[in-house]
Amino acid sequence: MDKEILLKELNYKAIRSSGAGGQNVNKVSSKVVLNFDLENSNGLTENEKTYLKEKLASKLTQEFILILNCDEDRSQIKNKSIVTKRFIGILEKGLTKPKIRMATKATKASKERRLKSKKTTALLKQNRKKPDL
């Protein structure tokens, strides 16, 4: 993954944001929409592309385009930096491969400790009962 190439491939679009802001909302386009074409990217290898298509399947469109929005701030520049950081985080998280879990068995001593504790609690409960006469 080459971040510099990926950042050059991003398409930003500024649109008017909804929500609070008074007259500023009607005049300024502060909401930023980021588009990234995963299929035609030069910053990713073919293996990374296929892996990301599987991992980010719910976030991609039919044409494998990732669309992210940000309207958290009233400033367009801040929204652009926020959405860019979010994009890089999503890609890094998508490319991390989970550790392979190794199956382990319980040791003989741990099995014995478990059975011993079960016997002591069973004995405690047995002693709470009224004796049969």
Side-chain angles (χ1 to χ4, degrees), residues 36-70:
F36 175 68
D37 191 0
L38 184 66
E39 190 76 21
N40 299 322
S41 174
N42 295 327
L44 297 169
T45 63
E46 290 301 319
N47 292 336
E48 289 174 335
K49 287 179 188 179
T50 55
Y51 195 71
L52 283 172
K53 284 177 189 175
E54 292 173 14
K55 288 280 253 187
L56 304 176
S58 62
K59 296 181 181 183
L60 296 173
T61 62
Q62 296 285 334
E63 296 83 31
F64 300 109
I65 295 174
L66 178 68
I67 300 171
L68 297 174
N69 299 324
C70 183

Side-chain angles (χ1 to χ4, degrees), residues 14 17 27 29 36 76 92-93 105 111 115 118 132:
S17 180
K27 294 188 286 185
S29 299
F36 175 68
Q76 184 182 16
E92 287 176 347
K93 189 177 178 184
K105 288 185 177 179
K111 288 179 186 175
L115 291 174
K118 283 179 79 167
D132 291 333

